[in-house]
Amino acid sequence: MIEIDGSIGDLNETVPHYSYRNWDDREERIASYTTLWAIQQKKRGKTTSLPGPFLRGTWKFLRGFLIKKGFLDGAIGWKVAWSNARDVFLKYRKLRTLNEPSSSDSH
């Protein structure tokens, strides 16, 4: 149970919350998160096919922009859908790269 010492009320304004400081900050985090995700998936024995990153990224874009109607938001809807698709592409591309035999393994 939570105990409140003081008054409780409604906010008159929205509270701004930003997940990222700016677009560059987002890109840095995505680079890190996609690498961590790929490492985790590799440890779990997951793989992906050669066209996997492209197919999954394309599906993510189509889902966000068309099926979820991101197009109604105009340019920002396009940017969000494209960015999310790119993130998915990067995750699976990194997983594919991690699962490729290194050149030293083939000798």
Side-chain angles (χ1 to χ4, degrees), residues 30-97:
I30 294 303
S32 176
Y33 296 158
T34 55
T35 299
L36 292 172
W37 180 91
I39 291 167
Q40 287 178 338
Q41 296 308 305
K42 180 177 173 29
K43 286 179 182 176
R44 293 179 179 154
K46 303 292 183 182
T47 61
T48 189
S49 63
L50 181 62
F54 175 76
L55 295 173
R56 288 175 183 272
T58 299
W59 171 246
K60 185 71 171 183
F61 176 80
L62 293 173
R63 184 172 178 266
F65 194 68
L66 297 177
I67 296 171
K68 291 193 159 198
K69 301 178 184 173
F71 62 87
L72 294 175
D73 293 323
I76 192 67
W78 174 272
K79 188 171 187 175
V80 168
W82 182 259
S83 176
N84 289 337
R86 184 176 166 273
D87 299 347
V88 169
F89 172 82
L90 288 174
K91 287 189 332 184
Y92 283 92
R93 186 183 71 185
K94 289 178 181 185
L95 176 60
R96 178 141 179 84
T97 300

